[in-house]
Amino acid sequence: MKRIVIKVGSHVLTENGTIAHDRLNALVELISDLHEAQMEVILVSSGAVAAGYTQLELDRNELANKQALAAIGQPYLLKIYQTRFAHHAILSAQVLLSADDFDSRKRTAHARRALERLLENGVVPIVNENDVVATEELVFGDNDRLSAHAAHYFGADLLVILSDIDAYYDKDPHRHEDAKIRKVVNALSTEELEEECSAHGAFATGGIVTKLQAADFLMRRGGRMFLASGFELDDIRSYLLDGVHKGGTLFIAR
Ligand code: ADP
């Protein structure tokens, strides 16, 4: 595996209204280890609204407030990332995109050229949706779709989604005690892709369905996605660094 996109949800990056520094540090350490193993990593990070809320408590139910919080939180979050990456002697960069950018071949090519230049210089691009103008992430999806587009159009071998859930189950494990992990998924049914979204937590907007849609988008294009816990990075570490699939779900078309 050469190039991977890692997407991390807001729920992983925040805890009780503040930044979950331990988890953010563990993520940066993982990316540093992947760099050591000669992999290129593009990080798609949610959490701008949550980071903004740590600075100014505006009512997050209103879209304009969410946009304002994202504007406050994005540079704040990036500063934390840049400081952490610097501890590992890694430069990181901010790349703000909107989902529409991938609708245009010209804009996709522009973005890719910049991305390639960053990656070939060992920089970790930190991608987020430009929330002040593109409100899709704030309303729906929490960057799941953006990360799937980034993985496909930027030529990644794998999309990793680090979530508050450690895998895809045959039913919602927060509501059903007997839910069973699905370790490998080769195809998704229309029902699975349309199920009512059940986001968990105040900042999360996606739920499992937007993750399944991201997986479906990639599988239809010959790509792969791995869903694993962002709270506990053992499973993703072992999958990426040792090639051992212990926990988490791999989505791969047969
Ligand atoms: P994130 O903030 O990491 O993007 P979300 O909270 O939006 O993640 O989505 C993950 C949540 O989706 C889980 O915590 C879980 O409650 C819910 N969920 C619903 N159905 C399933 C399922 N079949 N397998 C796993 N999680 C599910």
Side-chain angles (χ1 to χ4, degrees):
M1 227 166 317
K2 181 85 177 62
R3 180 175 296 179
I4 60 177
V5 171
I6 298 182
K7 182 254 163 175
V8 62
S10 3
H11 206 226
V12 172
L13 290 174
T14 55
E15 184 78 58
N16 299 325
T18 60
I19 301 285
H21 285 278
D22 290 355
R23 297 204 282 262
L24 189 143
N25 294 351
L27 172 67
V28 169
E29 198 172 320
L30 167 68
I31 294 173
S32 167
D33 291 345
L34 295 172
H35 262 202
E36 296 268 310
Q38 310 304 321
M39 283 181 226
E40 295 174 341
V41 181
I42 299 167
L43 176 62
V44 176
S45 180
S46 300
V49 175
Y53 192 73
T54 67
Q55 304 299 298
L56 182 66
E57 292 186 13
L58 298 177
D59 177 7
R60 302 182 309 259
N61 293 316
E62 218 187 293
L63 184 57
N65 282 347
K66 279 197 184 185
Q67 291 170 260
L69 288 171
I72 296 163
Q74 178 66 20
Y76 180 69
L77 184 65
L78 259 284
K79 196 171 167 204
I80 298 171
Y81 273 125
Q82 286 200 309
T83 309
R84 270 335 288 182
F85 275 113
H87 281 287
H88 298 270
I90 294 174
L91 258 183
S92 53
Q94 168 175 267
V95 177
L96 292 178
L97 296 172
S98 70
D100 297 346
D101 289 331
F102 295 110
D103 290 344
S104 147
R105 262 208 232 163
K106 204 163 129 195
R107 285 162 80 166
T108 304
H110 283 163
R112 179 151 185 176
R113 187 173 56 201
L115 253 292
E116 294 290 350
R117 194 50 58 86
L118 290 167
L119 292 170
E120 72 200 28
N121 283 285
V123 179
V124 175
I126 304 177
V127 175
N128 192 13
E129 196 138 31
N130 189 358
D131 292 320
V132 176
V133 290
T135 47
E136 185 191 276
E137 179 214 349
L138 298 179
V139 179
F140 188 72
D142 198 28
N143 276 334
D144 291 330
R145 189 191 319 235
L146 182 76
S147 62
H149 285 168
H152 177 63
Y153 293 108
F154 299 151
D157 306 301
L158 177 74
L159 167 64
V160 172
I161 291 197
L162 297 178
S163 176
D164 64 346
I165 196 79
D166 61 350
Y168 178 45
Y169 289 75
D170 59 353
K171 48 194 156 189
D172 186 351
H174 284 125
R175 288 189 294 170
H176 304 271
E177 262 181 37
D178 61 340
K180 290 190 183 55
I181 283 195
R182 297 189 57 193
K183 215 171 165 187
V184 180
V185 171
N186 300 121
L188 290 158
S189 66
T190 317
E191 295 81 70
E192 286 172 294
L193 293 167
E194 281 174 1
E195 221 176 287
E196 242 182 89
C197 95
S198 50
H200 190 72
F203 297 106
T205 48
I208 198 70
V209 174
T210 52
K211 291 167 186 53
L212 300 181
Q213 288 167 351
D216 186 64
F217 173 88
L218 289 171
M219 286 196 288
R220 285 178 189 283
R221 289 161 179 80
R224 289 185 290 166
M225 186 181 113
F226 198 86
L227 173 65
S229 169
F231 288 88
E232 185 27 87
L233 299 181
D234 279 2
D235 287 343
I236 192 58
R237 271 190 171 275
S238 100
Y239 183 71
L240 292 175
L241 290 163
D242 308 326
V244 180
H245 185 174
K246 287 197 303 197
T249 302
L250 173 66
F251 297 86
I252 184 166
R254 231 193 283 271

